[in-house]
Amino acid sequence: EAKAGERNRFNLYEPTMNERIMTRRQLEMDLRQALHQDEFRVFFQPRFDARSRKVLGAEALVRWAHPSRDLLSPASFIVLAEDTGLIFELSDWVLRAACRHALAWDDALIVSVNLSAVEFQRADLVERVQNALKETGLAAHRLELEITENVMLEDAVSALRMMHRLKALGVRLSMDDFGTGYSSLGYLRRYPFDGLKIDRSFIMEMEQSQSSQAIVDAIISMGHALSLTVTAEGIETAEQLDRLIELTCDQAQGFYLARPMSPAHFTRLLEDPFPG
Ligand code: C2E
Ligand code: MG
Ligand code: MG
Ligand code: MG
């Protein structure tokens, strides 16, 4: 009916460009405020030795406890933080929170923190990491920095220099989301990485796709040939873990083993890995 169609056209909520910008600006203001009102939380997802399932450490994953929304995942605010430059302050907060929590764990455990590519474009990155270590008192070898290929894409030469300076501090470096980029392989050989993390997409497809399994097999062999620690991320089934063990993958991370959890939960997991 023509009338109903007409009415629907007006009732349908379609944000205008202006409203979209408003929302973004609102979010930006909220983000800025969140930093000062302590609304960020750090969650930890355990990393396990694939074979023994011993906890070897945890990856710090930031969350935003927005006062009027659910706990927000980084997908909804990291890009905005990068675009607005707020990522530096946010990342400083995550680094300190991660290091501070790691101090309370067994001192064999490693804490890993994700860095954004934009952080490599400023010369003060090394100083920022060094300050976080100094202020918290965490030994450098217990901190791992996870970076993606984007870091090398921006400016390969300065990225290499920066990574060598970070290595000189004594921290570990790993390449995150490995296999998703254009030339991850070349970067691995030329840059001072200690580990690589196979992207979740390959793990997800392993059971259905022979070629994904062949790729995972090849990544693990290559990683080992380069003396890198190989971690599989996004393991969701027992079958995936079993297959990865057969392929000699070193470390395992994923919902099948443990989801990201609050610092208190992680501490409890360390005290009692097999409750009940
Ligand atoms: P990432 O570093 O690759 O982290 C792994 C993501 O996969 C996390 O999502 C984790 O919760 C999720 N994940 C782990 N196991 C599984 C699984 O078995 N199945 C599925 N479906 N997902 C799994 P999260 O926490 O939402 O983080 C998303 C991304 O946001 C991270 O990807 C990382 O790139 C970024 N990020 C998180 N925290 C920070 C941070 O403090 N700084 C920066 N710059 N980026 C961060
Ligand atoms: Mg990561
Ligand atoms: Mg990843
Ligand atoms: Mg990722």
Side-chain angles (χ1 to χ4, degrees), residues 18-30:
N18 235 343
E19 281 172 300
R20 248 178 259 143
I21 291 167
M22 290 274 286
T23 313
R24 200 187 133 90
R25 291 204 47 189
Q26 185 60 51
L27 197 61
E28 180 183 341
M29 287 193 299
D30 286 1

Side-chain angles (χ1 to χ4, degrees), residues 151-164 191:
V151 165
M152 278 76 74
L153 286 176
E154 295 289 343
D155 182 348
V157 177
S158 77
L160 183 61
R161 205 179 308 128
M162 190 73 87
M163 285 172 64
H164 279 298
Y191 291 76

